[in-house]
Amino acid sequence: MYNELPAKENHSVEQALLHDADLAARCADLLEAQRYLDALQPGPSDRAVQNILQYSRTFLRAE
């Protein structure tokens, strides 16, 4: 999935994927999930940040 195997082990996995349709289908599902996860926004939305800032301002006014 992340190309982290040594070449010999990578070749073994590739051979297993070629000969096991169920394994290949599960691998394809994992690769699709990986693409979706990689596309996720890594931080809070602008709206969430604004809500937090607005909430924190209520403490500044209370003093």
Side-chain angles (χ1 to χ4, degrees), residues 22-62:
D22 184 52
L23 181 63
R26 287 190 284 162
C27 183
D29 290 342
L30 290 171
L31 287 170
E32 183 177 9
Q34 179 188 34
R35 282 193 300 274
Y36 285 121
L37 290 172
D38 288 344
L40 290 176
Q41 185 177 3
S45 68
D46 290 339
R47 182 176 180 205
V49 171
Q50 291 306 314
N51 287 340
I52 292 167
L53 290 173
Q54 182 177 351
Y55 178 76
S56 69
R57 288 184 194 110
T58 63
F59 293 102
L60 294 174
R61 292 183 193 139

